Amino acid sequence: MKSEAHIKARGRAIKYMMYRIRTQKEVYDKLIELEFSEQVVENVIDDLIQLEYINDEEYTRKFISSNKKTKKLSKNMLKLKLKNKGISEDVIEKYIRDLEVSDIDVILKLLEKKKFLKTMDFDEKNKIKLYCTRKGFSLSDVNKAIKIYEKGEDI
C-alpha cells in the first residue's frame, strides 16, 4: 500500500510531466522543491521509470534531434545543456556520437542563415563570429567554416 505522501507526490510529478518530457533530475528537483521527503521522491521516481514515464535516454535522443534542427548548437553546447539537465555522461556520449552532422556543417548553415558575405566589414564579420561562438562553437571551427564558405562564394 502506497502512503498518502507517495500518492500525492506521484500525482504532482505526473502533472509536472504533462507539459513536456522531463529528465529524472528535473522531476526529482521539482518534488524536493515541493517539500516531499527524499525517500518518497526516490520511490515515486522509481515508479515513473518502471512505467516508462521517465526515460533519460529517450529525453536525450529527442533533445538532440530537436536542437539539431532548430537551435543549431555545437556538440559541446548540447553536452553542457544535457549535463545540466542531469543526464549521465555515458548517455550523452552515446547519442552525441551518433550525430552525423559535424560542427563545421552546422556553422556553414548558420553563416548562410546570417547572410554572411566576404565583402562585409570587420565589425559585421565579427558580430557573426560572436554569434557562432555563443552557440558553443570554437573560434577555430568558426574560422575554418568561414574560409570554406568564402571559397564556395567564388564558385
Side-chain angles (χ1 to χ4, degrees):
M1 180 96 180
K2 304 287 182 185
S3 71
E4 187 176 324
H6 180 92
I7 294 168
K8 189 174 179 180
R10 187 173 166 188
R12 294 297 298 264
I14 291 171
K15 185 177 179 182
Y16 179 61
M17 295 183 314
M18 284 175 59
Y19 302 104
R20 68 174 176 84
I21 188 170
R22 306 280 183 172
T23 66
Q24 182 176 330
K25 181 183 182 303
E26 287 176 310
V27 175
Y28 179 90
D29 291 347
K30 183 66 174 178
L31 293 177
I32 291 294
E33 177 187 312
L34 294 171
E35 298 180 359
F36 289 102
S37 75
E38 202 167 312
Q39 185 61 48
V40 168
V41 171
E42 288 173 6
N43 290 336
V44 167
I45 288 185
D46 289 342
D47 285 354
L48 295 174
I49 289 171
Q50 288 233 311
L51 293 168
E52 296 182 10
Y53 286 9
I54 297 175
N55 183 332
D56 282 356
E57 285 205 21
E58 183 65 13
Y59 180 93
T60 302
R61 190 186 63 72
K62 286 182 177 181
F63 183 88
I64 288 173
S65 175
S66 169
N67 279 281
K68 188 172 72 173
K69 292 175 189 166
T70 57
K71 295 190 176 141
K72 310 252 188 282
L73 300 174
S74 71
K75 289 179 182 179
N76 286 337
M77 186 65 80
L78 286 171
K79 286 179 187 179
L80 180 65
K81 286 184 175 279
L82 287 166
K83 199 170 191 139
N84 288 341
K85 299 245 181 216
I87 305 295
S88 75
E89 196 72 40
D90 295 343
V91 172
I92 294 171
E93 283 304 317
K94 177 181 174 185
Y95 288 94
I96 291 285
R97 197 176 327 113
D98 293 343
L99 270 178
E100 64 280 349
V101 179
S102 75
D103 280 354
I104 300 285
D105 292 336
V106 177
I107 296 168
L108 289 169
K109 286 183 179 144
L110 288 173
L111 293 173
E112 192 175 321
K113 176 184 169 190
K114 290 294 183 181
K115 297 177 180 25
F116 187 89
L117 300 170
K118 66 178 167 184
T119 56
M120 291 177 157
D121 67 29
F122 178 79
D123 288 340
E124 290 173 309
K125 285 183 178 182
N126 224 22
K127 191 174 177 183
I128 293 174
K129 282 183 183 181
L130 288 172
Y131 171 78
C132 292
T133 57
R134 282 193 304 272
K135 295 259 184 195
F137 299 103
S138 71
L139 191 55
S140 65
D141 281 351
V142 173
N143 287 329
K144 282 180 202 171
I146 286 173
K147 283 180 183 172
I148 292 168
Y149 192 81
E150 287 179 340
K151 284 179 186 172
E153 275 187 357
D154 292 339
I155 301 168

